[in-house]
Amino acid sequence: MAALPGAALAAVTGAPVAYGAVPSARQLQWHDLELYAFLHFTVNTFTDREWGYGDEDPSLFNPSAFDADAIAENLRDGGMKAVILTCKHHDGFCLWPTRTTDHSVRSSKWRGGNGDVVREMSNAARRYGLGFGVYVSPWDRNAASYGSAAYVAMYREQLRELLTDYGPIEEVWHDGANGGDGFYGGAREKRTIDKRTYYDWPRTWDLVRSLQPDAVIFSDVGPDIRWVGNEQGVANETCWATYDPEGEHGGPASPGDVNAKNSGSGTRGGSHWIPAECDVSIRPGWFWHEAQSAQVKTARQLIELYYRSVGRGASLLLNVPPDRRGLLDPIDVAVLRAFGERLRQTFFVDLAAGSKVTASNVRGKSKTFRAENMIEGGGSSYWSTDDGVTEAEAVLEWKRPVIFNIVRIREKIGLGQRVEEFKVDVLQDGNWRVVGEGTSIGACRILRLDGNVTTNRVRLRITKSPVSPAISEFGLHREPA
Ligand code: FUL
């Protein structure tokens, strides 16, 4: 059959080819969370310690008023999208009635030995619309078998229980910490393991994948989510989602053995998509200590951390430890509420939405890739340029001036992390003035400007990119004073 007239002219420009490593479906889902909570809770809450030795009497664990719903409600009001519970910390005490050891809630007085913190917390999380994740410490200072193959089998069994019996799991958190000495069933000695080989991580991760294919796996080195390299809740100003981890002394990396100097920035052009997670506690310690109640971070400090983590393409994992009642401390709750409220006030209105948008180049002159896509929300569509056009600008215009102090930009990360440098300008008195600039964008880049800006024209300039940019969001917001 002859070609239809005009068919050659109508050749549609397809989507840009993905650049470098791209996120998996489970990572894309995780990117939407951005902000979620950590709950450090165990016998340490009652002994006032950070790392239990492993010889704690299980009857010490006896929260007087544990209320998972109340905790979940507080977290939701604080803007959290999920919660990760320390189901077992280094001391080995299990917050669920595991079949692998007696060292658990089953041997405590709490709920007459019939309680299950993991059950109550996971159910409550879902009731409040929060995802649920599990922290299970690979290091176990209680287990007599620690250091032998039998312990690794036990660790996997604990994961199997948690990943089978508690519904969908959002994230599985593998800590790299290992201090060596412990109770170990009464041996009270130092046990050293080879961090690279002992846990045989690839096998454990296969197990996680088979039981919870949608869960992301966190460790110092991924495979899905990487540690940011500090416990202050801060990513590098330039933070790539791509990453090639290396061991502390070079060579292959594994949990507990990573050159953390590169964790905050990632690797430009790295071969894997392994975005960073910034973990930090609202208090100096990870567990609740009464003596630290005067040192709870303020809502302003948390906001600052939000911009230095989420605002740099990473996530913020904020620890808010339950107290001895099994509730969040009222001081922490007040801070959480103020933090969540401030985020809502800032991001509720997007001033870009009411603008008229023009661009220096639109891919194939097609509606599919027009610059308006950046301000129309939804996130699935994006502005892109023709192949080979790696510098481009889009201008937003309003009839009446707008006032803002926050710029939020997102790339269409399904196509990889593309942009390397960008600038944001505003038109004032007939001249363009640079008000913000940056490097990596990725899932999210937030610029906090130097005070309020009033203008009726804003320009986004992509100034360096190896390939055509693909921008899914350009938002303008006003953070209250
Ligand atoms: C560290 C642990 O040693 C701390 O106790 C805490 O759990 C923190 C989140 O990770 O490696």
Side-chain angles (χ1 to χ4, degrees):
M1 198 179 119
L4 292 171
L9 288 178
V12 179
T13 308
V17 174
Y19 177 75
V22 294
S24 62
R26 66 175 80 85
Q27 287 174 319
L28 282 172
Q29 254 179 14
W30 169 88
H31 274 292
D32 286 343
L33 296 175
E34 296 191 333
L35 173 63
Y36 42 98
F38 225 168
L39 291 180
H40 273 68
F41 189 41
T42 187
V43 286
N44 295 346
T45 312
F46 302 87
T47 58
D48 218 7
R49 302 185 70 170
E50 275 291 307
W51 279 10
Y53 189 67
D55 61 349
E56 292 76 16
D57 183 341
S59 65
L60 283 167
F61 184 83
N62 199 8
S64 55
F66 176 68
D67 184 344
D69 279 277
I71 294 174
E73 187 176 3
N74 294 153
L75 297 179
R76 184 202 59 191
D77 292 349
M80 307 293 140
K81 298 280 170 53
V83 52
I84 300 178
L85 173 69
T86 54
C87 300
K88 180 186 86 169
H89 202 250
H90 307 327
D91 57 82
F93 181 77
C94 296
L95 295 185
W96 78 105
T98 173
R99 290 176 291 275
T100 63
T101 171
D102 291 336
H103 199 59
S104 80
V105 279
R106 211 199 289 274
S107 307
S108 75
K109 293 200 188 93
W110 178 65
R111 306 248 196 276
N114 296 312
D116 184 341
V117 181
V118 181
R119 172 84 55 223
E120 292 189 32
M121 202 60 237
S122 58
N123 285 342
R126 290 183 196 112
R127 273 196 290 275
Y128 284 84
L130 307 174
F132 182 71
V134 295
Y135 166 114
V136 197
S137 171
W139 183 29
D140 189 322
R141 304 173 96 185
N142 175 263
S145 61
Y146 187 77
S148 73
Y151 170 73
V152 178
M154 170 173 150
Y155 180 66
R156 291 199 182 121
E157 199 44 41
Q158 294 180 338
L159 282 170
R160 181 188 296 282
E161 291 177 353
L162 290 169
L163 302 183
T164 308
D165 298 340
Y166 298 92
I169 300 295
E170 197 87 44
E171 178 166 334
V172 181
W173 219 92
H174 300 293
D175 200 323
N178 193 311
D181 66 319
F183 174 68
Y184 304 128
R188 298 184 180 277
E189 61 189 8
K190 183 165 182 171
R191 291 187 183 169
T192 320
I193 49 103
D194 182 337
K195 289 177 181 170
R196 282 164 308 168
T197 55
Y198 177 59
Y199 295 103
D200 187 2
W201 285 113
R203 243 187 91 189
T204 300
W205 293 337
D206 281 350
L207 175 72
V208 174
R209 289 281 193 252
S210 71
L211 298 171
Q212 293 276 348
D214 297 334
V216 289
I217 302 175
F218 165 96
S219 83
D220 289 347
V221 299
D224 298 316
I225 310 298
R226 74 176 193 263
W227 182 47
V228 76
N230 65 71
E231 292 183 337
Q232 271 76 61
V234 175
N236 277 34
E237 215 266 325
T238 296
C239 179
W240 306 106
T242 46
Y243 183 47
D244 279 323
E246 60 170 31
E248 204 172 340
H249 310 287
S254 44
D257 178 12
V258 69
N259 179 357
K261 282 205 291 288
N262 302 329
S263 307
S265 60
T267 319
R268 179 56 176 155
S271 50
H272 301 282
W273 187 275
I274 312 179
E277 176 184 88
C278 304
D279 59 328
V280 64
S281 185
I282 197 167
R283 293 165 163 258
W286 291 99
F287 288 92
W288 181 86
H289 308 288
E290 188 162 27
Q292 296 183 347
S293 289
Q295 292 159 272
V296 177
K297 291 184 177 63
T298 62
R300 268 178 199 278
Q301 285 175 304
L302 296 186
I303 287 286
E304 185 70 35
L305 294 181
Y306 178 86
Y307 288 121
R308 296 169 75 187
S309 54
V310 175
R312 293 172 177 178
S315 67
L316 179 57
L317 171 55
L318 177 66
N319 180 62
V320 195
D323 61 16
R324 289 181 181 169
R325 298 169 307 159
L327 295 168
L328 301 186
D329 189 298
I331 300 172
D332 307 32
V333 171
V335 169
L336 262 185
R337 191 172 300 136
F339 171 63
E341 192 48 37
R342 198 172 174 83
L343 286 179
R344 283 187 289 274
Q345 283 171 359
T346 303
F347 292 102
F348 185 66
V349 175
D350 182 357
L351 296 158
S355 66
K356 184 173 154 270
V357 191
T358 50
S360 59
N361 181 287
V362 171
R363 187 173 182 79
K365 295 198 172 60
S366 159
K367 270 195 167 178
T368 312
F369 305 109
R370 60 189 194 151
E372 284 89 337
N373 290 340
M374 298 190 295
I375 62 160
E376 280 168 4
S380 65
S381 61
Y382 55 95
W383 167 47
S384 189
T385 60
D386 289 317
D387 288 339
V389 177
T390 57
E391 287 177 28
E393 57 182 60
V395 175
L396 278 64
E397 200 182 332
W398 298 259
K399 289 213 177 77
R400 291 207 189 95
V402 290
I403 306 173
F404 63 93
N405 51 23
I406 296 279
V407 180
R408 183 164 70 184
I409 312 175
R410 299 182 191 274
E411 280 185 273
K412 176 76 182 173
I413 54 174
L415 297 173
Q417 190 151 17
R418 307 167 77 90
V419 174
E420 293 184 349
E421 281 172 25
F422 68 94
K423 288 190 180 7
V424 176
D425 316 311
V426 302
L427 192 72
Q428 272 167 350
D429 306 322
N431 297 313
W432 286 109
R433 179 168 75 88
V434 180
V435 289
E437 57 192 311
T439 48
S440 50
I441 300 177
C444 179
R445 167 67 93 137
I446 304 176
L447 299 179
R448 224 176 169 190
L449 310 184
D450 256 350
N452 288 342
V453 174
T454 308
T455 184
N456 52 10
R457 264 193 223 185
V458 176
R459 182 167 71 177
L460 166 65
R461 271 188 292 150
I462 305 301
T463 52
K464 190 170 177 214
S465 177
V467 286
S468 55
I471 311 291
S472 61
E473 180 181 318
F474 183 73
L476 300 173
H477 304 271
R478 187 167 173 185
E479 187 183 0

